[in-house]
Amino acid sequence: MQDAAALEKLGIPCSVLVTRPFNTQARAMTNLLAMPNYEYAVIGHPMGSLNEQQVMARAEEAVPQCLSHLIG
């Protein structure tokens, strides 16, 4: 989140992926970074143990959220 915030402040759009159990922490971080309205993609958990098909399903969940943030 810190890297994305730094890049966004330089005018470089970024999209952060957060799994649902970490949504509260991610929102707290955006507040700490003085970007309380920063949008990020919230996707299912877990990621590390998924097979290729399951990862693709997570990507399908993330892409619309990322595009919304990146291009409005």
Side-chain angles (χ1 to χ4, degrees):
M1 193 66 72
Q2 289 178 316
D3 291 339
L7 290 169
E8 289 276 355
K9 287 178 182 179
L10 293 173
I12 301 168
C14 295
S15 192
V16 174
L17 302 179
V18 176
T19 61
R20 283 186 186 88
F22 298 101
N23 189 28
T24 301
Q25 292 90 334
R27 183 54 55 208
M29 184 60 73
T30 64
N31 289 323
L32 285 172
L33 295 168
M35 298 178 71
N37 298 318
Y38 182 74
E39 296 178 35
Y40 52 86
V42 181
I43 61 173
H45 187 84
M47 285 296 299
S49 61
L50 302 181
N51 63 36
E52 184 178 348
Q53 183 179 13
Q54 293 166 317
V55 170
M56 291 303 293
R58 293 288 199 280
E60 290 174 5
E61 185 178 9
V63 167
Q65 296 177 71
C66 293
L67 289 175
S68 175
H69 174 69
L70 293 171
I71 61 175

